[in-house]
Coordinates of all heavy atoms in Angstrom, one line a residue:
M1 N 0.8 -1.2 0.0 CA 0.0 0.0 0.0 C 0.9 1.3 0.0 O 1.9 1.3 0.6 CB -0.9 0.0 1.2 CG -1.9 -1.1 1.3 SD -3.2 -1.1 0.1 CE -4.4 -0.2 1.0
A2 N 0.4 2.2 -0.7 CA 1.0 3.5 -0.7 C 0.2 4.5 0.2 O -0.9 4.2 0.6 CB 1.1 4.1 -2.1
I3 N 0.9 5.5 0.7 CA 0.2 6.5 1.5 C -0.1 7.7 0.7 O 0.8 8.3 0.1 CB 1.1 6.8 2.7 CG1 1.4 5.6 3.5 CG2 0.4 7.9 3.6 CD1 0.2 5.0 4.3
D4 N -1.3 8.1 0.7 CA -1.7 9.4 0.2 C -1.0 10.5 1.0 O -1.3 10.6 2.2 CB -3.2 9.5 0.3 CG -3.8 10.8 -0.2 OD1 -3.1 11.8 -0.2 OD2 -4.9 10.8 -0.7
P5 N -0.1 11.2 0.4 CA 0.7 12.2 1.2 C -0.2 13.4 1.7 O 0.3 14.1 2.6 CB 1.8 12.7 0.3 CG 1.3 12.4 -1.1 CD 0.3 11.2 -1.0
V6 N -1.3 13.6 1.1 CA -2.1 14.7 1.5 C -2.9 14.4 2.8 O -2.9 15.2 3.7 CB -3.0 15.1 0.3 CG1 -4.0 16.3 0.8 CG2 -2.2 15.6 -0.8
C7 N -3.6 13.3 2.8 CA -4.5 13.0 3.9 C -4.0 11.9 4.7 O -4.6 11.6 5.8 CB -5.9 12.8 3.4 SG -6.1 11.3 2.5
G8 N -3.0 11.1 4.3 CA -2.5 10.0 5.1 C -3.2 8.7 4.9 O -2.9 7.7 5.6
M9 N -4.2 8.7 4.0 CA -4.9 7.4 3.8 C -4.0 6.4 3.0 O -3.2 6.8 2.2 CB -6.1 7.7 2.9 CG -7.4 7.4 3.5 SD -8.7 7.7 2.3 CE -9.2 6.0 2.0
E10 N -4.3 5.1 3.3 CA -3.6 4.1 2.5 C -4.3 4.0 1.1 O -5.5 3.9 1.0 CB -3.7 2.8 3.2 CG -2.7 2.7 4.4 CD -2.7 1.4 5.0 OE1 -3.6 0.6 4.8 OE2 -1.7 1.1 5.7
V11 N -3.5 3.9 0.1 CA -4.0 3.7 -1.3 C -3.3 2.5 -1.9 O -2.1 2.4 -1.9 CB -3.8 5.0 -2.1 CG1 -4.3 4.8 -3.5 CG2 -4.3 6.2 -1.4
D12 N -4.1 1.6 -2.5 CA -3.5 0.5 -3.2 C -3.0 0.9 -4.6 O -3.8 1.3 -5.4 CB -4.6 -0.6 -3.3 CG -4.1 -1.9 -3.8 OD1 -2.9 -2.0 -4.3 OD2 -4.7 -3.0 -3.5
E13 N -1.7 0.7 -4.7 CA -1.1 1.1 -6.0 C -1.7 0.3 -7.2 O -1.7 0.8 -8.3 CB 0.4 0.8 -6.0 CG 1.2 1.5 -4.9 CD 1.5 0.5 -3.8 OE1 0.5 -0.1 -3.3 OE2 2.6 0.5 -3.3
K14 N -2.2 -0.9 -6.9 CA -2.7 -1.7 -8.0 C -4.0 -1.2 -8.6 O -4.3 -1.4 -9.7 CB -2.8 -3.2 -7.6 CG -1.5 -3.8 -7.2 CD -1.7 -5.3 -6.9 CE -0.4 -5.9 -6.4 NZ -0.3 -5.8 -4.9
T15 N -4.7 -0.5 -7.8 CA -6.0 -0.1 -8.2 C -6.2 1.4 -8.3 O -7.2 1.9 -8.7 CB -7.1 -0.6 -7.3 OG1 -6.9 -0.2 -5.9 CG2 -7.2 -2.1 -7.3
A16 N -5.1 2.1 -7.8 CA -5.2 3.6 -7.8 C -5.3 4.1 -9.2 O -4.6 3.7 -10.1 CB -4.0 4.1 -7.1
T17 N -6.1 5.1 -9.4 CA -6.2 5.7 -10.7 C -5.8 7.2 -10.6 O -5.6 7.8 -11.6 CB -7.7 5.7 -11.2 OG1 -8.5 6.3 -10.2 CG2 -8.1 4.3 -11.4
I18 N -5.7 7.7 -9.4 CA -5.3 9.1 -9.3 C -3.8 9.1 -8.8 O -3.5 8.8 -7.6 CB -6.2 9.8 -8.3 CG1 -7.7 9.5 -8.6 CG2 -5.9 11.3 -8.2 CD1 -8.6 9.9 -7.5
T19 N -3.0 9.5 -9.7 CA -1.5 9.5 -9.3 C -0.9 10.8 -9.8 O -1.4 11.5 -10.7 CB -0.8 8.3 -10.0 OG1 -0.8 8.5 -11.4 CG2 -1.4 7.0 -9.6
S20 N 0.2 11.1 -9.2 CA 1.0 12.2 -9.7 C 2.5 11.9 -9.5 O 2.9 11.2 -8.6 CB 0.6 13.4 -8.8 OG 1.3 14.6 -9.3
E21 N 3.2 12.4 -10.5 CA 4.7 12.2 -10.4 C 5.3 13.5 -9.9 O 5.0 14.6 -10.4 CB 5.2 11.8 -11.8 CG 5.7 10.3 -11.8 CD 6.3 9.9 -13.1 OE1 7.3 10.6 -13.5 OE2 5.7 9.0 -13.7
Y22 N 6.2 13.3 -9.0 CA 7.0 14.5 -8.5 C 8.4 14.1 -8.2 O 8.5 13.1 -7.4 CB 6.2 15.1 -7.3 CG 7.0 16.3 -6.7 CD1 6.9 17.5 -7.4 CD2 7.7 16.2 -5.6 CE1 7.6 18.6 -6.9 CE2 8.4 17.3 -5.1 CZ 8.4 18.5 -5.8 OH 9.1 19.6 -5.3
D23 N 9.3 14.8 -8.7 CA 10.7 14.5 -8.3 C 11.1 13.1 -8.6 O 11.8 12.4 -7.9 CB 11.0 14.9 -6.9 CG 12.5 15.1 -6.6 OD1 13.2 15.4 -7.6 OD2 12.9 15.1 -5.4
G24 N 10.5 12.5 -9.7 CA 10.9 11.1 -10.1 C 10.2 10.0 -9.4 O 10.4 8.9 -9.6
K25 N 9.3 10.4 -8.4 CA 8.5 9.4 -7.7 C 7.0 9.5 -8.0 O 6.6 10.6 -8.4 CB 8.7 9.6 -6.2 CG 10.1 9.2 -5.7 CD 10.3 9.3 -4.2 CE 9.4 8.3 -3.5 NZ 9.7 8.4 -2.0
T26 N 6.4 8.4 -7.9 CA 4.9 8.4 -8.2 C 4.2 8.4 -6.8 O 4.5 7.6 -5.9 CB 4.5 7.2 -9.0 OG1 5.3 7.2 -10.2 CG2 3.0 7.2 -9.3
Y27 N 3.2 9.3 -6.7 CA 2.4 9.4 -5.5 C 1.0 9.0 -5.8 O 0.5 9.2 -6.9 CB 2.5 10.8 -4.9 CG 3.9 11.1 -4.5 CD1 4.8 11.7 -5.3 CD2 4.4 10.7 -3.2 CE1 6.1 12.0 -4.9 CE2 5.7 11.0 -2.8 CZ 6.5 11.6 -3.7 OH 7.8 11.8 -3.3
Y28 N 0.3 8.4 -4.9 CA -1.0 7.9 -5.1 C -2.0 8.7 -4.2 O -1.7 9.0 -3.0 CB -1.1 6.4 -4.8 CG -0.1 5.6 -5.6 CD1 1.2 5.5 -5.3 CD2 -0.6 5.0 -6.8 CE1 2.1 4.7 -6.1 CE2 0.2 4.3 -7.6 CZ 1.6 4.2 -7.3 OH 2.4 3.5 -8.1
F29 N -3.2 8.9 -4.7 CA -4.2 9.7 -4.0 C -5.5 9.0 -3.9 O -5.9 8.2 -4.8 CB -4.3 11.0 -4.7 CG -3.0 11.8 -4.8 CD1 -2.2 11.6 -5.9 CD2 -2.5 12.5 -3.7 CE1 -1.0 12.2 -6.0 CE2 -1.3 13.1 -3.8 CZ -0.5 13.0 -4.9
C30 N -6.3 9.3 -2.9 CA -7.6 8.6 -2.7 C -8.6 9.4 -3.4 O -9.7 8.8 -3.7 CB -7.9 8.6 -1.2 SG -8.1 10.2 -0.5
A31 N -8.4 10.6 -3.8 CA -9.4 11.5 -4.4 C -8.8 12.5 -5.2 O -7.7 12.9 -5.0 CB -10.3 12.1 -3.3
P32 N -9.5 13.0 -6.2 CA -9.0 14.1 -7.1 C -8.6 15.3 -6.3 O -7.6 16.0 -6.7 CB -10.2 14.4 -8.1 CG -11.0 13.1 -8.1 CD -10.9 12.6 -6.7
G33 N -9.3 15.6 -5.3 CA -9.0 16.8 -4.5 C -7.6 16.7 -3.8 O -6.9 17.7 -3.6
C34 N -7.2 15.5 -3.5 CA -5.9 15.3 -2.8 C -4.8 15.5 -3.9 O -3.8 16.1 -3.6 CB -5.8 13.9 -2.2 SG -6.7 13.7 -0.7
K35 N -5.0 15.0 -5.1 CA -4.0 15.2 -6.1 C -3.9 16.7 -6.4 O -2.8 17.2 -6.6 CB -4.4 14.4 -7.4 CG -3.5 14.7 -8.6 CD -3.9 13.9 -9.8 CE -3.4 14.5 -11.1 NZ -2.0 14.7 -11.2
T36 N -5.0 17.4 -6.5 CA -5.0 18.8 -6.8 C -4.2 19.6 -5.8 O -3.4 20.4 -6.1 CB -6.4 19.4 -6.9 OG1 -7.1 18.6 -7.9 CG2 -6.4 20.8 -7.3
A37 N -4.5 19.2 -4.5 CA -3.8 19.9 -3.4 C -2.3 19.6 -3.5 O -1.5 20.5 -3.3 CB -4.4 19.4 -2.1
F38 N -2.0 18.4 -3.8 CA -0.5 18.0 -3.9 C 0.2 18.7 -5.0 O 1.3 19.2 -4.9 CB -0.4 16.5 -4.0 CG 1.0 16.0 -4.1 CD1 1.7 15.7 -3.0 CD2 1.5 15.7 -5.4 CE1 3.0 15.3 -3.1 CE2 2.8 15.3 -5.5 CZ 3.6 15.0 -4.3
D39 N -0.5 18.7 -6.2 CA 0.1 19.4 -7.3 C 0.4 20.8 -7.1 O 1.3 21.4 -7.7 CB -0.8 19.2 -8.6 CG -0.7 17.7 -9.1 OD1 0.2 17.0 -8.7 OD2 -1.6 17.4 -9.9
K40 N -0.5 21.5 -6.3 CA -0.3 22.9 -6.0 C 1.0 23.1 -5.1 O 1.7 24.0 -5.4 CB -1.5 23.4 -5.3 CG -2.6 24.0 -6.2 CD -3.6 24.7 -5.3 CE -4.9 24.8 -6.0 NZ -6.0 25.1 -5.1
E41 N 1.1 22.3 -4.1 CA 2.1 22.5 -3.1 C 2.8 21.2 -2.7 O 2.6 20.8 -1.5 CB 1.6 23.2 -1.9 CG 0.9 24.6 -2.1 CD 0.4 25.2 -0.9 OE1 -0.7 24.9 -0.5 OE2 1.2 25.9 -0.2
P42 N 3.4 20.5 -3.6 CA 3.9 19.2 -3.2 C 4.9 19.2 -2.0 O 4.9 18.3 -1.2 CB 4.6 18.7 -4.5 CG 4.8 19.9 -5.4 CD 3.7 20.9 -5.0
E43 N 5.7 20.2 -2.0 CA 6.7 20.2 -0.9 C 6.1 20.3 0.5 O 6.6 19.8 1.5 CB 7.7 21.4 -1.1 CG 8.5 21.1 -2.4 CD 9.6 22.1 -2.6 OE1 9.8 23.0 -1.8 OE2 10.3 21.9 -3.6
K44 N 5.0 21.0 0.5 CA 4.3 21.1 1.8 C 3.9 19.8 2.3 O 4.1 19.5 3.5 CB 3.0 22.0 1.6 CG 2.1 22.0 2.8 CD 0.9 22.9 2.4 CE -0.2 22.6 3.4 NZ -1.4 23.4 3.1
Y45 N 3.4 18.9 1.5 CA 3.0 17.6 1.9 C 4.1 16.6 2.1 O 4.1 15.7 3.0 CB 2.0 17.0 0.9 CG 0.7 17.9 0.9 CD1 0.5 18.7 -0.2 CD2 -0.2 17.9 1.9 CE1 -0.6 19.6 -0.2 CE2 -1.3 18.8 1.9 CZ -1.5 19.6 0.8 OH -2.5 20.4 0.8
L46 N 5.2 16.8 1.3 CA 6.3 15.9 1.5 C 7.2 16.2 2.7 O 8.0 15.4 3.1 CB 7.2 15.9 0.2 CG 6.4 15.4 -1.0 CD1 7.2 15.4 -2.3 CD2 5.9 14.0 -0.8
K47 N 7.0 17.3 3.2 CA 7.7 17.7 4.4 C 7.1 17.0 5.7 O 7.7 17.1 6.7 CB 7.7 19.2 4.7 CG 8.9 19.8 3.9 CD 8.8 21.3 4.0 CE 9.7 22.0 3.0 NZ 9.4 23.4 2.7
G48 N 6.0 16.3 5.5 CA 5.4 15.6 6.6 C 4.5 16.4 7.4 O 4.0 15.9 8.4
D49 N 4.3 17.6 7.0 CA 3.3 18.5 7.8 C 2.0 18.5 7.0 O 1.7 19.4 6.3 CB 3.9 19.9 7.9 CG 3.0 20.8 8.7 OD1 2.1 20.2 9.4 OD2 3.1 22.0 8.6
A50 N 1.2 17.5 7.3 CA -0.1 17.4 6.6 C -1.2 18.0 7.4 O -2.3 18.0 7.1 CB -0.4 15.9 6.4
S51 N -0.8 18.6 8.5 CA -1.8 19.2 9.4 C -1.9 20.7 9.2 O -2.2 21.5 10.1 CB -1.5 18.9 10.8 OG -0.2 19.4 11.2
G52 N -1.7 21.1 7.9 CA -1.7 22.5 7.6 C -3.0 23.2 7.4 O -3.0 24.2 6.8
G53 N -4.1 22.7 7.9 CA -5.3 23.4 7.8 C -6.5 22.7 7.2 O -7.3 22.2 8.0
H54 N -6.5 22.5 5.9 CA -7.7 22.0 5.3 C -7.5 20.5 5.0 O -7.0 20.1 4.0 CB -8.1 22.8 4.1 CG -7.2 22.6 2.9 ND1 -6.0 23.3 2.9 CD2 -7.3 21.9 1.8 CE1 -5.4 23.0 1.7 NE2 -6.1 22.1 1.1
Q55 N -7.9 19.7 5.9 CA -8.0 18.3 5.6 C -9.4 17.9 5.2 O -10.3 18.5 5.7 CB -7.6 17.4 6.8 CG -6.1 17.3 6.9 CD -5.7 16.4 8.1 OE1 -6.2 16.6 9.2 NE2 -4.9 15.5 7.8
H56 N -9.5 16.9 4.3 CA -10.9 16.6 4.0 C -11.3 15.4 5.0 O -10.6 15.1 5.9 CB -11.1 16.2 2.6 CG -10.3 15.2 2.0 ND1 -10.5 13.9 2.2 CD2 -9.1 15.2 1.3 CE1 -9.6 13.1 1.6 NE2 -8.7 13.9 1.1
S57 N -12.4 14.8 4.7 CA -13.1 14.1 5.7 C -12.7 12.6 5.9 O -13.4 11.9 6.6 CB -14.6 14.1 5.5 OG -14.9 13.6 4.2
H58 N -11.6 12.3 5.3 CA -11.2 10.9 5.5 C -10.7 10.7 6.9 O -9.8 11.4 7.4 CB -10.1 10.5 4.5 CG -10.6 10.3 3.2 ND1 -11.4 9.3 2.8 CD2 -10.4 11.0 2.1 CE1 -11.7 9.4 1.5 NE2 -11.1 10.5 1.0
Q59 N -11.1 9.6 7.5 CA -10.6 9.3 8.8 C -10.1 7.9 8.8 O -10.8 7.0 8.2 CB -11.6 9.5 9.9 CG -11.9 11.0 10.1 CD -12.8 11.3 11.2 OE1 -13.6 10.5 11.6 NE2 -12.8 12.5 11.7
H60 N -9.1 7.6 9.4 CA -8.5 6.3 9.3 C -8.2 5.7 10.7 O -7.6 6.4 11.5 CB -7.1 6.4 8.5 CG -6.6 5.1 8.2 ND1 -7.3 4.2 7.3 CD2 -5.5 4.5 8.4 CE1 -6.6 3.2 7.2 NE2 -5.5 3.3 7.8
Ligands
LIG1 ZN1 -6.7 11.7 0.3

């Protein structure tokens, strides 16, 4: 399983359809909104600070 860097959810790489490449790596997302947020500010999420304000409603 991969981790959605935006919200922290687990995403199965085999079935994931929402992906983004950044810095040579592929990241997987649970929802289009997560990819959009990541594409805007990838470094924010890759720094491990995912608690920057607007999280959506996934709870794990
Ligand atoms: Zn997500």
Side-chain angles (χ1 to χ4, degrees):
M1 298 291 267
I3 301 291
D4 178 333
V6 174
C7 68
M9 243 186 107
E10 288 186 338
V11 181
D12 190 339
E13 300 100 312
K14 296 188 185 86
T15 58
T17 56
I18 309 165
T19 65
S20 186
E21 249 181 62
Y22 178 74
D23 202 20
K25 289 182 68 175
T26 303
Y27 295 92
Y28 299 86
F29 304 94
C30 67
C34 284
K35 174 179 158 58
T36 302
F38 179 83
D39 285 344
K40 268 189 204 166
E41 301 180 274
E43 293 186 2
K44 173 179 160 184
Y45 297 105
L46 296 180
K47 276 175 189 158
D49 180 18
S51 58
H54 69 283
Q55 277 185 309
H56 58 81
S57 58
H58 288 291
Q59 291 183 337
H60 191 60

